[in-house]
Amino acid sequence: GLGERVVFRGHVSALEDLRRVYEPAIASVSPGTAGLSVIQSLGFGVPVIVTDDARHGPEIEATVEGENAVFFDGSSPDALERALVAVAAERDEWRARRPTIVGRVADRYTIEAMAAAFAAAVRT
């Protein structure tokens, strides 16, 4: 019965298209390795549901359990189900956190912030 409510879009890269995809989203889900998709989701204020036992990219450092992410046991489909149900049940609270989620990521992961970090590394 999910066929009417679930859409697999494939590659989406235009900013306005991404904004339309993330706007109604409750969360993004990464049942395997998470990387830049974490920053992208958080950049739109959408929390991530992420497995706690994968070899994630360095971007995982941007996640904070309960603040912008929910972790689940990747070996347990039931744990993923519980995480999905919990986030859906708390959707209003998660939506209220969107400005905070965006702000935290914007402080560290904008092009300006990354360029400043590279410049500081080169100067040392």
Side-chain angles (χ1 to χ4, degrees):
L2 292 177
E4 299 293 319
R5 300 185 311 186
V6 176
V7 177
F8 293 98
R9 298 188 186 277
H11 179 78
V12 178
S13 60
L15 182 60
E16 286 309 312
D17 292 340
L18 287 166
R19 196 178 317 280
R20 281 191 290 278
V21 168
Y22 280 106
E23 165 46 30
I26 297 169
S28 63
V29 181
S30 186
T33 301
L36 284 173
S37 62
V38 167
I39 302 303
Q40 184 178 68
S41 184
L42 299 178
F44 284 97
V46 176
V48 294
I49 300 173
V50 174
T51 178
D52 63 3
D53 60 356
R55 294 189 63 177
H56 299 297
E59 297 82 8
I60 199 70
E61 73 174 14
T63 61
V64 178
E65 173 73 34
E67 182 180 309
N68 61 12
V70 172
F71 287 87
F72 68 94
D73 176 356
S75 66
S76 169
D78 291 337
L80 173 56
E81 177 185 5
R82 285 190 299 275
L84 289 166
V85 169
V87 171
E90 298 171 351
R91 72 180 56 135
D92 292 337
E93 291 87 354
W94 284 108
R95 283 189 177 277
R97 291 185 205 156
R98 282 190 171 191
T100 303
I101 293 170
V102 169
R104 186 164 193 266
V105 170
D107 289 344
R108 296 194 61 196
Y109 295 97
T110 61
I111 190 68
E112 295 83 6
M114 290 188 287
F118 282 123
V122 169
R123 282 192 290 265
T124 57

